[in-house]
Amino acid sequence: AQKVTQAQTEISVVEKEDVTLDCVYETRDTTYYLFWYKQPPSGELVFLIRRNSFDEQNEISGRYSWNFQKSTSSFNFTITASQVVDSAVYFCALSEVGTNAGKSTFGDGTTLTVKP
Amino acid sequence: GAVVSQHPSWVICKSGTSVKIECRSLDFQATTMFWYRQFPKQSLMLMATSNEGSKATYEQGVEKDKFLINHASLTLSTLTVTSAHPEDSSFYICSASQGHGEQFFGPGTRLTVL
């Protein structure tokens, strides 16, 4: 069975600080996808990134960066120079491929609060 | 990116009534649609997987007679909460997949049962 663990329930930082959100996953599949989503108070899930299990290259997109380490089954997310608008709940998710393509397991989420 | 819509975005109903939620993929054909449920301050929990033209596959603990899912076409799936009760109040989110491991989420439907 798939499992995604986001050990940090809540994180509070002051604006302009860097913050890293941890994500550890468990799966027996060799092929899978990992995702990060942002959920602001409105509730709509905002897609941030998708990474397939064969692509361990780290990615940077503006103030966001992701570190995928298959050896430790981790897919951590860093926000550099955080802003108040970054305040939201962030979910890490693992998605199956093959016969159950798209079926996702979500972590419990990390609530990030960025204070001015 | 692909767009998925949900209707209604919010609904308030009386206990005992049934509520239908629609999920549509607007610019692509979805071979599979998923229904999730999210209680306040909790994660998304998969309720069921729906493939066009076939019966939905429900996750353990989800009552199929309570949550009726119909996937009539490659662009539309519906979730009907039958005889709704206050404990069914939740945020229901659908997603649609083309089968490549990626899924696109709808904006969610907030159901409040009085």
Side-chain angles (χ1 to χ4, degrees):
Chain A
Q2 326 280 13
K3 185 178 180 181
V4 177
T5 301
Q6 294 179 254
Q8 305 147 307
T9 305
E10 295 181 5
I11 299 177
S12 181
V13 298
V14 177
E15 205 169 22
K16 296 185 183 178
E17 286 186 16
D18 298 347
V19 59
T20 295
L21 283 62
D22 298 333
C23 173
V24 175
Y25 63 92
E26 297 176 28
T27 179
R28 292 183 178 180
D29 295 342
T30 54
T31 305
Y32 49 87
Y33 286 98
L34 294 166
F35 296 82
W36 275 96
Y37 295 94
K38 175 181 180 180
Q39 188 177 42
S42 64
E44 184 167 354
L45 283 174
V46 177
F47 167 82
L48 296 178
I49 190 171
R50 178 182 78 160
R51 177 64 78 227
N52 78 52
S53 52
F54 295 107
D55 182 4
E56 290 192 68
Q57 194 170 18
N58 293 328
E59 182 161 336
I60 298 175
S61 177
R63 297 184 296 108
Y64 296 167
S65 62
W66 291 269
N67 182 275
F68 176 27
Q69 295 202 349
K70 208 168 178 179
S71 60
T72 55
S73 297
S74 66
F75 187 42
N76 296 337
F77 172 34
T78 298
I79 302 175
T80 304
S82 60
Q83 299 176 2
V84 173
V85 293
D86 295 327
S87 297
V89 181
Y90 290 86
F91 289 99
C92 178
L94 185 151
S95 181
E96 300 181 25
V97 296
T99 53
N100 289 320
K103 183 177 179 180
S104 295
T105 301
F106 283 77
D108 288 340
T110 297
T111 300
L112 173 65
T113 302
V114 181
K115 299 179 181 177
Chain B
V3 180
V4 176
S5 69
Q6 275 185 248
H7 179 80
S9 55
W10 60 270
V11 56
I12 301 173
C13 69
K14 292 182 179 180
S15 187
T17 61
S18 294
V19 175
K20 179 185 283 188
I21 302 170
E22 291 186 350
C23 176
R24 293 181 185 273
S25 56
L26 299 184
D27 52 1
F28 69 101
Q29 293 187 323
T31 53
T32 307
M33 288 186 171
F34 302 90
W35 286 96
Y36 294 85
R37 182 175 182 177
Q38 185 181 30
F39 289 110
K41 298 188 183 299
Q42 294 190 23
S43 186
L44 281 76
M45 298 301 296
L46 180 66
M47 299 176 66
T49 303
S50 162
N51 291 295
E52 184 263 342
S54 60
K55 289 184 178 180
T57 301
Y58 290 81
E59 295 299 300
Q60 194 172 11
V62 178
E63 300 175 59
K64 60 181 180 181
D65 295 330
K66 172 79 171 173
F67 300 99
L68 301 178
I69 292 172
N70 183 278
H71 194 158
S73 75
L74 286 172
T75 59
L76 173 63
S77 176
T78 60
L79 167 68
T80 301
V81 183
T82 62
S83 187
H85 291 286
E87 57 265 29
D88 298 324
S89 298
S90 188
F91 192 53
Y92 292 87
I93 306 175
C94 75
S95 70
S97 172
Q98 293 176 287
H100 305 306
E102 185 169 10
Q103 58 180 310
F104 303 94
F105 285 87
T109 297
R110 195 165 299 281
L111 170 64
T112 301
V113 184
L114 303 176

